[in-house]
Each structure stands twice: as C-alpha cells, then as structure tokens.
C-alpha cells in the first residue's frame, strides 16, 4: 500500500484549485437572494481578515480561519455559490511597530509580511477566492477609505473639536475609548493618560438608538450583543438645570432619580468641565483648583471611578448653585470621580441615597439629607408562597445610604408620595426627560505615519475643506523619518511638500491634515470592497453589492465586540441613510470563535506559548492540523492545544487512506451499516450547521469504524469522503479524483442526504461519570456500543474538564444507561 504523502498532495491540490478556480464565485451569474437551498444561491462567507504585523500566523489564527472555511465548504456542497474572500488589514500601529522593530520602512516591511502571510494562508488549504483579495495599504483600497471619510464630512458625521482624549505614551498616539481596556492601551498594555487635543471624530452617537435597537433583531453571538449593549449604556432620565447665584450661567445635570432632587446638597463637576475655565475670575481658590485639574489628567478613567478608592476633590470657593427644588444655595465641587464624557459632566450629589456621594460628603463634612424613607421589602429568605400572598417584612437597614424606592420625606409638597410617582411629578416641574448613552463619538485621528492620510485641507479663509473626490487618493508619501513624534503632530507634518497645498474652494494657499485615520476605519467597510475589488472606478458596485450583501456568515474574535463589530454596523447604517446600500445591518449572522490556550494561558507572543502552524503542517499536514484544532472542543468555546494530541488525528487519516486503498465491492445489503451512515449524515450535518465541529469529527470516527467492519461499497465510501471533505480537503480530493476516478472536484459535489425513515430509533439518556460521580448527560441511540458512547463522551467539553491530563485506568459500561471513566 502506497503511503499517503501529505507534502506532495497538499501542494498539488492547492495549485490545482487555483488553476481550476473552483472557489471563485460566479459574479456574472449571481442572482438575487432566493430560497434557502435553491441551486447557486449566493452565500457570502467571511472571516475577519488578519493584519500582517509580526512573524506570521500562529495556530490560534489558523483555528479561526479553519472554522470559517469548514462552514464555507459545507455551504458550497449544499448547493450555494460561496464567496470566501481574503485580504490583509496591513495599516496601523501593529504593522508600523513591527517595522520599527525590524529596522525597515513600513512600506518595505509590509511586502515581506504580505508574501509570508499569503504563503501561510495558502498552506492551510482554505477555499479562498484569491482573485478578489484586498490590502488596506494599497492606494487602490485606501483611496476609497478616504472617499468614505469625505462622505462622512459631507453628511455632517465627521467633525473636528478639541477635548481631552486618551493618549498612549508608548504608541505615541490617541486612542478611541473602545481601544482602552481597564485603563490601558488595548494593543501594548501601557497605562493611558489624558491629553487635550483637537481631533477628528465621527458622530456614532447619532446612531446609538438604532445600534442598540437592532441588536434585538440580528443573529449574532449573544456575548457580542451583550457587550455592545453594555458599552452603549443607555440611560433614561431627566436633565435639570441649577442656577448659579448672581450669575446668568446654569449647570445642567442628568439624573435617573429625580425623586431625590430635594436631597441634592452639593454639585460635583468633572475637573475638565467648561464651567471651571469660564469662571476663573470668580473662583477664589483658582490656583488650588488648577493644580487639581492637572493631577486628574494624569489618571486613567479606571483609576478615577474605581469604587473603593478614597474620594478627592476641591470646592470652587466663592461660587454657589441653587437647588431648584429647595431654593437653597449649595456648594460646587470638582472631583475626579465625575467624568466629562458621561452625561453632562456634572452631577447633583445626593449623599443620603448614593454610595459615592455619601463617602464624599462624609470626608468633606457636607450635608446629608434623607428624602426617601423605605417602607418594607421582601428578603431573599422569604418563601415563594409568602411572596405570592403579598407578605412583607420590616426593613432592617444596615447602611446609612438607601438607594431603593419608598416614600418621600423632606420633599415639600411631595412628602408622603410614592417615590416612583413623585419622580415623574418632580421631573415635570423642574426638568425635561432625556435619554443619555455612555457611548461617545468615534475618535478617528492618529498621530502616526502608517495609515491613510485624512483627506482634509485647512484654509485660513474657508476653514476645513474635503479633498475633491477626483483628487483621491491622497497618497501616503514615503518619508524616512516615519517614527512617531510623541507630540500632537504626525510624522507627516515634517513633509512640507505634502503639507502645503491649495484650498479646493478658493485656490489659495492651504495645508493638509497630517494625521492618519484609525485603522478600524479601513476594516469598517472592507466586506463591501471584496466583491468589487477589481473595479477601480467606484468603491463598491451597486448591483453586485445588492446581490451579494449583507454578509451571510461572519466569524471572528469576541475581542472586537465594541471596536470593529460596532464600527462596521455604524458605517453600514450611514451608507444606508445615504441610499448607497439597501441594508442597515451588514452581517446577517455572526459567531465569535473561542480561543486556544496552551500551557494554561491564551496563546500569544506575550505568554511565549505561540505555536507556528508551518512546523505542524510540515510534520503532519494541513488536514491533520485542521482536524486536530477543530476536535479540541466546541468552536465557539476554544480548547487546550497540546502537541501530542496530533497523533490521534494522523492515525485516523491513515486509516481513511488505508480503507480507500483497495476498494472491495461490498454487497450493499448491510442494513446496520446503512443506518450508521444515515445517522452520521444527520448528525454531522446538524453539527456543522451549528459549528459543532468537534462532535462532527467524533461522528466521523464512529462512522469510519463502522465502515472498517462492514465491507462498504464504493458508494458508501464516497459518502464518507464527502462528509470528511470540509474538514480534510486535500486527502478527500486525492481520494475522490485519483482513487475513485472522478474528473471534477469533490468540493463542488452535493452534500450527502439520508432517508429519515431509515434512522428512526429510540434515543436514550446516557449518564457520564468520572470516578463514579455524574458529570454530564448525553443522548445516544438505544443499543449504542461502548466505543460509540466513549467517543461521544470524550468529545464533550464538560467531561474533558474533569479528565484534564489524567489517564483513564478503566471504563465501566452499562448498556443504554451509563459509562464511568475511572482515572
């Protein structure tokens, strides 16, 4: 028997697939959306494209790409015209920093990285439509990224303003709020500080309500939708204005508890609040205030709002505000636990009914006035019968702060009224209803070199003007001193030839914007470019886009929940408003893949546990690595990578090769084998549809064993190889064409079907035990043999957790009832 040569076979078929263009979509024949399974219905299968920033892909990247590719291959065999494009997100800090590390210019380094990445991406055997690839640093791509910026400006969604922004001292650039994680730069982990700079922003806040509302409609991973809901942070409340004594100025606050207004004994402003600057002459202790403001700028937002930190603040002496409900003067303070970007940057402090305000008031000896008296509450210890009967218990207050509902006291004419009802009446008298969001506008400017220059020009006479669309792209000049300056100026500011230009409006002397745009702008629209990648006249062809978008399945990382995955939705909504696309949501279905861990930690360079897929492919082949990665656990949960785990999969593929080496003409009358094949088709189909790749592979192993013991016909073996094809595309193609003798690719064959009547059987619940303790229940066909149950049990992630690295000493099996693993 000839041994399977994965090196020779995989390279051969990768080249052959390119020649035959079997993964290229039939754009010319693409029809509008049809019924779910009709012939050649379009299916846009997309994965988050990689950024070529370091040495290359690691197996964690391959894990994500393989999972997406399996789904695309499955859909193609189900009769869809699948479009699975690929490209490189090559602009941005990641790529620039790597170029600095290697001592090369980013424009030169990216060519080296591109060659390596495309070589690796080819080696894993994915069904990419290579003819439509894009790179964000290609002028033919970023021309249209700049065009998108111009559209934002023309439609009033791009604006420039001065405000405190997040600054990473290491990356030497500003960061959007979404790029700050726990007070640190999401890329390098450096503590982020505040700087006051004039920057470009996109008005994503104009779309906050729609972005939030649409989450109820889209088929996305729930953890992504939850993250976006929390990030947008919708609050419904009331805006109330506090008049400044002997002044026309008013301070506006936003509160969700207007029922506590009578208990507001002081105001607290964020250190950056404009009131402080505007009233310098009236603030008697201004120097003390100024120093406090400066110290607050050095703290991260995380440090400022952390709950158990001791409160600090300074009173604005010489100025008082008036509580509109009581008519009494109250002091005004600044404190860093109030943030300028949330609400109005000012709060009414009600220390009797807010923990933070209470701590602050106690420290600085400020008045605490209780305005809500709790009546009663039901403790968790009360039975459900007592609750149903309306039983109540007396409250036992263990804190000086009451934050719940009750009856109002010390609240004038509202005293004695239920707090919820009183809140509505007080809101009508003293304020106006408002909705606030935590979400802030998208900060676009970056003071780096490697990115698309922002296509704006400043003229002393005409102000900011967009570069005419006919003059795009604004090419990024190749300057030698491209390293970040560490100031509010981009390296491009040094290039006078680039900076000095003419005003598009008056033709007078003007200067270009020297900042580049956030790399997330590049990826906010790339799915639109892929189908129109060869069209140099327009960003995206209207007809092709209408037929192929939105994306049908998108797979990527959960770490981009409030970055890329929020921005891509915002941009689509804007384009929809401008009548440029006919959909609001760009992604029909999104699934977040899990993460690989190795040696107890997430696979990353910082943890020193990265595995290079090149080495594993060289040793075992892409098919073996693909299957091993998918067998580690549920795709949406991830798994624990161990080098020694490859052995089992390589043995499996060797058995497949051996089984198909000498085909024996079986009788085809093996009823039990036919049932096993039918059950396998059903289970694998359902598993792949739900991204349950690990259990699908487990079923392939069960089916292989049945075939080995059952004298299968070639037709039965063909069914098996078709089921295997999405997981192990190279060996399946080799068997299909060179052993079975077919002239066309297995990857355009029809997915196997089964007779439902053939597989109707009783299903039983199997108890899975580890050392005699029940750890899980799984459903299995009645009469399943020990090996079948064992395979399914060991593939279950909950069972795997209890097995860990321990070896199985003994297996106790009770038919149709339980299986117990003794360690």
């Amino acid at each position: 028997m000839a041994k399977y040569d994965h090196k020779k076979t995989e390279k051969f078929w990768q080249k052959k697939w390119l020649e035959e263009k079997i993964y290229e979509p039939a754009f010319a024949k693409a029809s509008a959306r049809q019924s779910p399974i009709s012939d050649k219905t379009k299916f846009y299968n997309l994965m988050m494209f990689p950024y070529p920033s370091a040495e290359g892909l690691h197996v964690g990247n391959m894990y994500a790409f393989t999972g997406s590719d399996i789904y695309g291959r499955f859909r193609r065999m189900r009769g869809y015209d699948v479009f699975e494009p690929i490209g490189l997100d090559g602009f941005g800090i990641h790529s620039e920093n790597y170029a600095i590390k290697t001592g090369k210019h980013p424009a030169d380094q990216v060519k080296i990285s591109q060659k390596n990445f495309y070589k690796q991406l080819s080696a894993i055997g994915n069904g990419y439509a290579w003819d439509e690839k894009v790179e964000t640093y290609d002028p033919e791509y970023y021309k249209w990224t700049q065009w998108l910026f111009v559209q934002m400006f023309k439609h009033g969604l791009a604006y420039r303003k001065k405000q405190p922004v997040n600054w990473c001292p290491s990356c030497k650039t500003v960061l959007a709020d979404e790029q700050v994680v726990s007070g640190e730069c999401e890329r390098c982990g450096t503590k982020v500080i505040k700087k006051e700079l004039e920057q470009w922003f996109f008005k994503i806040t104009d779309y906050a309500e729609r972005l939030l509302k649409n989450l109820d409609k889209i088929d996305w991973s729930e953890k992504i939708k939850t993250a976006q809901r929390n990030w947008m942070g919708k609050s419904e409340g009331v805006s109330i204005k506090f008049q400044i004594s002997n002044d026309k100025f008013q301070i506006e606050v936003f509160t969700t508890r207007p029922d506590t207004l009578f208990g507001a004994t002081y105001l607290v402003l964020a250190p950056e609040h404009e009131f402080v600057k505007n009233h310098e002459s009236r603030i008697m202790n201004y120097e003390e205030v100024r120093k406090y403001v400066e110290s607050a700028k050095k703290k991260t937002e995380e440090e400022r709002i952390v709950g158990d930190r001791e409160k600090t603040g300074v009173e604005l002496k010489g100025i008082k505000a008036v509580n509109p409900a009581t008519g009494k003067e109250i002091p005004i303070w600044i404190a860093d636990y109030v943030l300028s970007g949330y609400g109005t940057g000012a709060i009414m402090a009600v220390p009797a009914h807010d923990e933070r305000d209470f701590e602050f008031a106690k420290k600085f000896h400020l008045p605490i006035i209780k305005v809500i008296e709790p009546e009663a509450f039901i403790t968790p210890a009360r039975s459900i019968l007592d609750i149903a009967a309306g039983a109540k218990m007396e409250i036992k207050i263990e804190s000086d702060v009451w934050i719940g509902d009750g009856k109002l006291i010390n609240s004038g004419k509202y005293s004695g009224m239920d707090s919820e009802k009183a809140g509505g009446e007080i809101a009508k008298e003293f304020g106006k209803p408002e909705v606030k969001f935590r979400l802030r506008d998208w900060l676009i400017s970056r003071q780096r070199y490697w990115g698309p220059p922002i296509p704006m020009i400043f003229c002393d006479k005409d102000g900011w003007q967009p570069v005419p669309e006919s003059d795009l792209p604004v090419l990024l000049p190749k300057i030698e001193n491209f390293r970040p300056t560490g100031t509010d100026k981009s390296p491009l500011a040094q290039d006078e030839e680039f900076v000095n230009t003419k005003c598009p409006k008056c033709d007078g002397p003007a200067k270009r914007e020297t900042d580049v745009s956030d790399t997330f702008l590049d990826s906010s629209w790339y799915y639109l470019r892929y189908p129109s990648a060869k069209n140099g006249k327009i960003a995206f062809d209207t007809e092709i886009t209408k037929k192929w978008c939105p994306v049908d399945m998108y797979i990527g990382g959960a770490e981009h929940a409030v970055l890329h995955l929020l921005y891509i939705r915002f941009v689509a909504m804007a384009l929809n408003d401008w009548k440029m696309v006919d959909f609001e949501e760009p992604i029909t279905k999104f699934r977040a893949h899990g993460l690989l861990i190795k040696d107890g930690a997430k696979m990353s360079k910082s943890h020193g546990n990265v595995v290079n897929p090149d080495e594993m492919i060289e040793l075992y082949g892409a098919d073996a690595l693909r299957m091993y990665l998918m067998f580690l656990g549920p795709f949406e949960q991830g798994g624990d990578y161990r080098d020694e785990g490859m052995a089992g999969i390589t043995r499996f593929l060797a058995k497949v090769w051996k089984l198909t080496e000498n085909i024996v003409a079986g009788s085809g009358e093996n009823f039990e084998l036919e049932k096993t094949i039918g059950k396998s088709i059903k289970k694998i189909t359902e598993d792949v549809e739900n991204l349950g790749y690990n259990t699908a592979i487990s079923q392939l192993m069960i089916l292989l064993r049945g075939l080995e013991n059952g004298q299968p016909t070639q037709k039965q073996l063909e069914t098996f190889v078709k089921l295997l094809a999405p997981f192990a595309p190279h060996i399946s193609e080799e068997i299909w064409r060179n052993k079975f003798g077919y002239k066309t690719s297995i990857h355009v064959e029809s997915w196997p079907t089964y007779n439902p009547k053939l597989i109707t059987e009783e299903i039983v619940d199997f108890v899975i035990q580890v050392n005699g303790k029940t750890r899980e229940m799984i459903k299995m066909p009645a009469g399943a043999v020990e090996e079948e149950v064992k395979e399914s049990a060991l593939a279950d992630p909950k069972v795997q957790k209890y097995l860990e690295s321990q070896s199985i000493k003994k297996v106790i099996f009770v038919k149709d009832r339980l299986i117990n693993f003794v360690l």
Side-chain angles (χ1 to χ4, degrees):
M1 181 185 73
K3 186 179 179 182
Y4 177 66
D5 185 344
H6 69 263
K7 295 179 183 179
K8 179 180 178 182
T9 302
E10 291 181 353
K11 288 180 180 178
F12 175 83
W13 288 117
Q14 287 161 11
K15 182 181 178 182
K16 190 72 172 176
W17 292 334
L18 281 176
E19 292 172 355
E20 295 179 346
K21 294 186 181 296
I22 67 168
Y23 302 132
E24 292 297 328
F27 282 126
K29 300 177 181 179
S31 58
R33 303 181 81 86
Q34 303 164 11
S35 60
I37 306 294
S38 59
D39 186 40
K40 295 301 177 186
T41 301
K42 76 94 180 175
F43 193 86
Y44 196 160
N45 189 56
L46 186 64
M47 61 194 74
M48 286 187 184
F49 65 167
Y51 46 81
S53 59
E55 290 80 0
L57 295 172
H58 58 68
V59 297
N61 306 128
M62 186 173 169
Y63 178 84
F65 298 150
T66 299
S68 180
D69 181 64
I70 289 171
Y71 196 80
R73 289 181 177 279
F74 168 70
R75 283 289 177 177
R76 185 178 290 106
M77 294 180 76
R78 296 275 278 176
Y80 289 87
D81 185 12
V82 174
F83 180 39
E84 187 177 302
I86 191 64
L88 295 176
D89 189 10
F91 261 148
I93 290 175
H94 301 77
S95 297
E96 185 179 306
N97 282 352
Y98 186 64
I100 292 172
K101 178 182 175 181
T102 60
K104 294 183 173 62
H105 193 280
D108 298 327
Q109 177 58 49
V110 77
K111 293 176 182 177
I112 300 171
S113 297
Q114 176 180 315
K115 183 178 180 181
N116 184 41
F117 265 69
Y118 282 154
K119 179 183 177 182
Q120 286 186 299
L121 288 167
S122 297
I124 65 179
N126 282 10
Y128 293 132
W130 284 102
D131 288 353
E132 286 74 34
K133 68 181 187 298
V134 301
E135 295 90 30
T136 57
Y137 44 82
D138 184 342
E140 283 302 309
Y141 183 87
Y142 72 75
K143 169 183 180 177
W144 303 114
T145 301
Q146 293 173 336
W147 169 85
L148 179 59
F149 189 105
V150 170
Q151 304 314 306
M152 288 285 185
F153 182 81
K154 288 181 176 180
H155 289 88
L157 291 179
Y159 68 98
R160 190 173 171 87
K161 72 172 180 178
K162 191 173 186 179
Q163 77 167 38
V165 295
N166 305 304
W167 178 268
C168 176
S170 176
C171 295
K172 298 179 181 179
T173 190
V174 297
L175 303 172
D177 291 339
E178 295 84 354
Q179 291 165 307
V180 180
V181 180
S182 299
E184 298 177 347
C185 172
E186 59 90 23
R187 195 207 66 81
C188 70
T190 301
K191 180 180 174 182
V192 172
I193 63 174
K194 287 289 184 180
K195 265 194 176 187
E196 193 164 83
L197 300 175
E198 191 169 296
Q199 305 284 282
W200 287 100
F201 294 83
F202 283 172
K203 289 184 181 179
I204 191 173
T205 52
D206 283 8
Y207 288 79
E209 189 66 53
R210 284 164 67 184
L211 287 166
L212 184 63
K213 186 178 179 181
N214 277 15
L215 289 174
D216 294 332
K217 302 188 298 185
I218 56 179
D219 182 11
W220 283 30
S221 295
E222 198 57 42
K223 63 182 177 182
I224 302 298
K225 297 201 288 186
T226 298
Q228 291 198 2
R229 286 189 185 99
N230 293 341
W231 185 255
M232 285 185 270
K234 181 178 180 180
S235 297
E236 296 184 31
V238 179
S239 287
I240 299 174
K241 292 180 179 179
F242 285 70
Q243 184 68 47
I244 304 303
S245 296
N246 304 315
D247 197 317
K248 294 181 180 179
F249 200 91
Q250 294 177 318
I251 293 177
E252 185 176 9
V253 304
F254 174 79
T255 179
T256 59
R257 293 298 301 269
D259 52 333
T260 65
L261 178 59
F262 283 81
T265 58
Y266 59 99
L267 296 184
V268 187
L269 311 182
E272 306 87 354
H273 198 287
E274 61 179 354
F275 181 87
V276 179
K277 290 181 181 178
N278 295 339
H279 288 74
E280 178 180 349
S281 61
R282 286 193 58 185
I283 300 173
M284 295 170 60
N285 58 334
Y286 187 77
E287 184 59 23
E288 180 187 12
V289 170
R290 186 191 65 77
K291 288 181 179 179
Y292 184 83
V293 170
E294 290 302 314
S295 68
K297 289 180 180 178
K298 298 175 182 178
K299 297 178 182 177
T300 65
E301 288 190 0
E302 190 83 7
E303 290 173 324
R304 287 172 60 171
I305 65 175
V306 64
D308 58 357
R309 184 180 65 85
E310 184 180 0
K311 300 295 182 288
T312 63
V314 177
E315 183 182 358
L316 305 185
K317 294 181 179 177
I319 302 180
K320 300 286 185 181
V322 177
N323 184 322
T326 64
K328 295 179 180 179
E329 287 189 336
I330 59 175
I332 305 172
W333 288 69
I334 59 169
D336 59 12
Y337 76 88
V338 178
L339 304 177
S340 60
Y342 297 103
T344 63
I347 66 164
M348 64 177 205
V350 187
H353 305 289
D354 182 275
E355 292 282 0
R356 293 186 309 169
D357 296 344
F358 178 78
E359 292 172 17
F360 193 89
K362 291 285 281 186
K363 178 175 179 178
F364 294 105
H365 309 291
L366 295 165
I368 300 173
I369 300 174
K370 191 175 183 181
V371 293
I372 298 178
E373 186 72 48
E375 290 183 301
F377 77 108
I378 301 170
T379 66
R382 295 305 298 256
S383 72
I384 194 67
L385 295 175
D386 288 340
I387 295 172
K392 293 185 178 180
M393 286 187 66
E394 290 302 312
I395 293 177
K396 182 180 180 182
I397 302 175
E398 297 179 353
S399 168
D400 294 309
V401 179
W402 174 252
I403 60 174
D405 295 327
K407 296 289 184 182
L408 262 61
I409 59 173
N410 300 320
S411 299
K413 65 182 181 181
Y414 298 102
S415 294
M417 190 180 293
D418 177 78
S419 59
E420 185 175 354
K421 181 179 179 182
E425 296 297 320
I426 292 171
K428 289 179 184 177
E429 182 174 356
F430 299 107
K432 63 176 182 178
E434 283 209 17
V435 174
K436 296 285 186 181
F437 285 86
R438 178 181 182 270
L439 178 70
R440 288 183 281 188
D441 281 339
W442 179 6
L443 176 55
I444 287 291
S445 306
R446 295 294 180 271
Q447 292 70 41
R448 300 286 295 222
Y449 165 73
W450 191 235
I454 292 177
M456 298 296 295
I457 294 172
F458 184 77
C459 170
D460 288 334
K461 177 183 176 183
D462 297 308
W464 285 102
Q465 298 295 320
V467 172
E469 293 178 27
S470 58
D471 291 346
L472 297 176
V474 177
L475 291 172
L476 180 67
K478 189 175 182 180
I479 61 174
E480 291 307 313
N481 189 14
F482 63 85
R483 288 166 177 77
T485 65
T487 69
D488 60 348
K489 297 293 184 183
S490 160
L492 288 177
Q494 307 166 72
D495 189 338
E496 292 188 5
E497 186 177 346
F498 174 81
V499 173
N500 296 315
T501 186
K502 290 184 178 181
C503 173
K505 190 171 183 180
C506 70
D507 208 33
K511 294 185 180 298
R512 292 188 188 279
E513 171 60 78
T514 56
D515 285 353
V516 298
S517 58
D518 180 13
T519 185
F520 282 106
L521 180 59
D522 304 337
S523 59
S524 70
W525 73 282
Y526 78 116
Y527 68 98
L528 292 167
R529 185 61 183 165
Y530 274 136
S532 302
K534 296 179 181 178
N535 191 330
K537 297 180 180 180
I538 194 169
F540 46 90
D541 181 275
T542 303
E543 287 304 309
I544 288 181
T545 301
K546 188 173 183 179
K547 292 172 182 176
W548 281 86
C549 292
V551 172
D552 294 281
M553 171 61 104
Y554 195 26
I555 288 176
E559 67 272 18
H560 291 301
V562 298
L563 290 158
H564 166 64
L565 290 171
L566 189 60
Y567 299 149
I568 197 172
R569 296 181 60 219
F570 158 61
V571 169
M573 286 183 181
L575 291 169
N576 179 260
D577 285 351
W578 308 334
K579 310 300 182 187
M580 293 183 180
V581 299
D582 63 353
F583 51 85
E584 265 200 345
E585 291 293 339
I587 313 295
T588 302
K589 186 175 183 177
F590 174 82
R591 291 294 180 266
H593 61 75
L595 295 175
L596 286 192
I597 62 171
K598 188 175 187 292
D599 304 327
K602 173 187 173 183
M603 195 174 289
S604 68
K605 286 179 63 181
S606 61
H607 290 129
N609 61 353
V610 166
V611 176
N612 187 336
D614 299 3
E615 299 171 6
M616 306 308 288
I617 290 172
E618 177 73 16
L619 285 171
Y620 303 105
D623 285 344
L625 183 55
R626 285 167 64 101
M627 290 195 71
Y628 173 61
L629 292 175
M630 295 301 99
F631 192 56
L632 288 174
F635 183 64
E636 294 181 73
Q637 294 181 28
D640 189 357
Y641 181 93
R642 294 174 180 148
D643 292 341
E644 61 270 20
M646 290 289 296
I649 293 296
T650 53
R651 283 196 299 270
F652 168 78
L653 291 176
K655 289 180 180 180
V656 172
W657 184 254
K658 180 180 179 181
L659 181 66
T660 56
E661 184 69 19
N662 297 303
I663 301 169
V664 178
S667 65
E669 297 176 356
N670 189 328
F671 183 70
E672 287 302 315
L673 180 56
E674 279 297 305
K675 281 182 63 177
T676 300
I677 292 172
K679 288 189 295 182
S680 297
I681 294 171
K682 181 178 186 296
K683 180 166 176 52
I684 293 169
T685 301
E686 292 171 351
D687 285 349
V688 174
E689 186 64 62
N690 295 311
L691 309 186
Y693 301 142
N694 61 319
T695 51
I697 293 172
S698 176
Q699 188 63 37
L700 281 168
M701 293 175 176
I702 292 171
L703 178 55
L704 177 64
R705 191 156 40 250
L707 292 168
E708 287 176 322
N709 298 328
Q711 291 189 322
T713 63
Q714 178 170 325
K715 182 179 179 182
Q716 290 170 332
L717 288 176
E718 288 175 3
T719 296
F720 172 79
V721 176
K722 285 182 180 181
L723 295 171
L724 177 67
F727 301 93
H730 305 91
I731 192 172
S732 299
E733 187 77 290
E734 178 71 13
I735 293 169
W736 186 257
R737 297 217 209 183
N738 290 337
K739 289 191 175 185
F740 294 162
Y742 288 98
K743 302 298 183 184
T744 55
S745 174
I746 191 173
H747 300 297
V748 294
E749 289 292 321
S750 297
W751 186 255
T753 58
Y754 62 92
N755 182 351
K757 294 180 180 179
L758 184 67
I759 63 171
T760 301
E761 62 185 349
E762 183 185 355
I763 302 297
V764 297
D765 289 321
F766 251 94
V767 175
I768 312 301
Q769 294 183 340
V770 177
N771 286 341
K773 293 184 178 180
T774 300
R775 298 304 188 186
E776 183 61 303
M777 297 276 290
I778 62 172
K779 293 186 180 298
M780 293 292 293
V785 298
E786 179 179 333
E787 282 302 309
E788 292 177 324
V789 179
K790 182 179 177 182
E791 289 278 5
S792 296
L794 292 178
D796 189 283
K798 291 183 180 179
V799 177
Q800 290 174 357
K801 183 176 70 174
Y802 290 103
L803 296 176
E804 295 180 336
S805 60
Q806 300 180 71
S807 60
I808 299 171
K809 181 179 179 181
K810 183 179 180 182
V811 177
I812 300 171
F813 179 74
V814 180
K815 187 177 180 181
D816 292 340
R817 291 183 61 188
L818 69 80
I819 188 168
N820 178 25
F821 298 106
V822 181
L823 307 183

